[in-house]
Amino acid sequence: MKKILLDAHTHTVASGHGYSTVQEMAKMAAEKGLEVLGITEHGPAVPGSCHKLYFKNMFVVPRQLFGIRLLMGCELNILDTNGSLDLTDEYFERLDLAIAGVHAPWYQGGTKEENTAGMIRVIKNPNINIISHPGDGACELDYEPLVLAAKEAHTLLEVNNHSMAPQRKNMVVRDNNLEILRLCKKYEVPTILGSDAHVSYQIADYERLYPLLAETDFPDELIMNYWPEKFFKYLFG
């Protein structure tokens, strides 16, 4: 197993239900030997999360802390089958990284086909870099077209460790994540492992995902967490 050098999806106290500060997250990332850390607070549709002004003010945060390259971003909410998001285009110029995902309480869903079409619109949105936890079952999806769209758009589909926590009692996430990994392997599409850390100790914790990588014999070269330079080139050219 190669060394994890990048964790792109984490949350601080600013998300309203996180437990560590930016400084605490960056310090822990340095202690764990990472090179890059993404701080991606929940978008404003999530109760208790950041006001939109938070994302406009991100320029005040240093992008190097404790030797870590810091990416300040957002995990936006996909709101409906049209691919609507909870931040408008004017905010993206302030974000280093834009993740988008479905969180069931704030999503107006439809059929499997409608949900898939809406997520493909988000995948093709040039402002979006990563789709968070598409395998968590928050809405029914057809994964093959998502993987093919992600390959075309150079958008990463995340396999999320946090959504597999036993406390969440999610009965579909393991099989969904296996399907995503098998399809990414088949079509040679890079993916990214997501810790979705809500406290500093969870940074770069992918323990629930390693058995899935082993089961699918997933190639190291397609896991962006091992290759920061490849990650930046793939997403930003």
Side-chain angles (χ1 to χ4, degrees):
M1 185 180 299
K2 293 190 66 64
K3 181 174 175 54
I4 297 293
L5 298 175
L6 180 152
D7 188 349
H9 181 180
T10 72
H11 301 273
T12 75
V13 290
S15 280
H17 55 280
Y19 298 91
S20 302
T21 65
V22 170
Q23 292 95 322
E24 288 167 341
M25 298 290 276
K27 185 176 181 182
M28 180 62 75
E31 290 174 3
K32 290 191 173 189
L34 271 65
E35 295 179 1
V36 182
L37 177 68
I39 302 286
T40 50
E41 310 296 3
H42 283 290
V46 176
S49 191
C50 311
H51 188 276
K52 291 180 180 180
L53 179 61
Y54 179 91
F55 300 103
K56 282 202 168 181
N57 200 43
M58 279 181 163
F59 68 90
V60 305
V61 181
R63 295 315 200 257
Q64 290 283 339
L65 283 174
F66 306 102
I68 293 292
R69 179 172 177 176
L70 198 61
L71 303 177
M72 296 298 295
C74 179
E75 184 186 11
L76 295 94
N77 293 280
I78 302 172
L79 301 175
D80 53 41
T81 58
N82 292 319
S84 304
L85 302 169
D86 59 344
L87 285 179
T88 52
D89 288 353
E90 64 187 287
Y91 291 89
F92 286 100
E93 64 182 22
R94 300 293 179 92
L95 304 179
D96 302 326
L97 190 65
I99 300 176
V102 170
H103 298 89
W106 307 286
Y107 178 67
Q108 298 295 316
T111 65
K112 183 177 184 178
E113 292 75 19
E114 290 168 338
N115 295 334
T116 302
M119 188 163 284
I120 287 174
R121 291 188 189 99
V122 179
I123 289 170
K124 292 182 176 180
N125 183 331
N127 293 314
I128 299 301
N129 309 121
I130 298 172
I131 301 296
S132 58
H133 45 71
D136 73 354
C139 67
E140 195 176 7
L141 294 164
D142 186 356
Y143 291 110
E144 188 163 24
L146 296 186
V147 169
L148 293 173
K151 181 174 185 175
E152 180 182 356
H154 275 216
T155 302
L156 294 172
L157 300 182
E158 177 195 72
V159 182
N160 187 284
N161 188 77
H162 186 63
S163 62
M164 292 186 66
Q167 295 87 345
R168 304 192 71 169
K169 300 179 180 179
N170 191 325
M171 305 303 292
V172 301
V173 65
R174 186 180 189 277
D175 287 344
N176 287 348
N177 282 337
L178 282 170
E179 183 176 359
I180 291 167
L181 288 171
R182 289 185 179 116
L183 287 165
C184 285
K185 179 182 176 182
K186 176 181 178 180
Y187 293 110
E188 299 182 327
V189 181
T191 188
I192 190 161
L193 311 181
S195 73
D196 204 351
H198 283 66
V199 67
S200 62
Y201 306 103
Q202 293 179 332
I203 288 173
D205 179 2
Y206 308 116
E207 289 303 317
R208 302 181 187 101
L209 302 181
Y210 294 136
L212 308 189
L213 299 176
E215 185 170 339
T216 56
D217 193 23
F218 198 80
D220 284 349
E221 59 267 24
L222 294 179
I223 301 172
M224 288 297 196
N225 309 75
Y226 302 147
W227 316 100
E229 289 186 12
K230 187 184 293 187
F231 169 84
F232 286 109
K233 184 175 180 180
Y234 190 80
L235 293 183
F236 306 111

